[in-house]
Amino acid sequence: MLMRTDPFRELDRLAQQLTGVSGTWSKPSAMPMDAYREGDEYVIALDLPGVAKEAIDIDVERNMLTVKAERRPATVGEDVQVELSERPLGVFSRQLVLADTLDTERIRADYDAGVLTLRIQIAERAKPRKIAIGGASAHTQIGT
């Protein structure tokens, strides 16, 4: 139902983990996701822990779905000394090419417990249906 658009995204993610460099607006980090079909819906779940709902941007243009989010550092007082900071900060993005069999006009988005869940209806034209067989036509008569 979807295609990965950047085969090197996983290599970028590994390099970011090794170097500790987080995503920027010009080169965002990837966000982990799951995608599966549930009945007549296609479900995409993206992990965005610690991201405020207002910092998430979802766009769809034709069949290209783009999700961007930004996790900013927590504000700490002047008398606070940070001992450890491992949680990634910065910009996260994911682009997915959606199949023509999905109805991009009917996408629902929910955000709960740091997980953004997108539900996309399967288009009516893509659902299985029975085809009726018509009667014999004049072109198939034998012996005329």
Side-chain angles (χ1 to χ4, degrees):
M1 290 289 178
L2 58 92
M3 298 178 348
R4 291 183 181 234
T5 57
D6 185 358
F8 300 104
R9 173 86 65 179
E10 194 65 19
L11 290 174
D12 287 344
R13 185 186 66 76
L14 290 171
Q16 288 170 357
Q17 282 182 340
L18 293 173
T19 62
V21 177
S22 297
T24 63
W25 283 107
S26 61
K27 185 101 171 116
S29 299
M31 56 187 83
M33 71 169 226
D34 292 333
Y36 53 92
R37 183 172 175 166
E38 185 177 304
D40 287 340
E41 290 183 322
Y42 199 70
V43 181
I44 300 169
L46 299 140
D47 281 350
L48 293 170
V51 175
K53 181 178 173 180
E54 299 76 30
I56 302 172
D57 186 40
I58 307 166
D59 291 316
V60 65
E61 185 176 339
R62 296 184 191 206
N63 63 339
M64 178 69 73
L65 175 74
T66 303
V67 178
K68 278 194 173 186
E70 183 176 11
R71 183 181 305 129
R72 296 187 175 131
T75 54
V76 293
E78 291 180 24
D79 60 339
V80 174
Q81 181 178 343
V82 177
E83 296 290 329
L84 182 65
S85 180
E86 292 182 342
R87 299 184 311 153
L89 303 172
V91 181
F92 302 87
S93 178
R94 197 74 187 240
Q95 280 193 316
L96 304 169
V97 177
L98 302 176
D100 292 334
T101 57
L102 297 176
D103 186 354
T104 58
E105 297 294 321
R106 296 175 18 190
I107 298 177
R108 279 191 352 253
D110 296 304
Y111 188 59
D112 185 39
V115 178
L116 175 66
T117 303
L118 304 173
R119 294 183 176 276
I120 309 167
Q121 291 289 317
I122 304 294
E124 288 298 321
R125 68 182 181 278
K127 293 179 183 175
R129 61 190 180 282
K130 294 286 185 187
I131 306 297
I133 301 172
S137 69
H139 299 290
T140 59
Q141 292 180 356
I142 300 176
T144 359

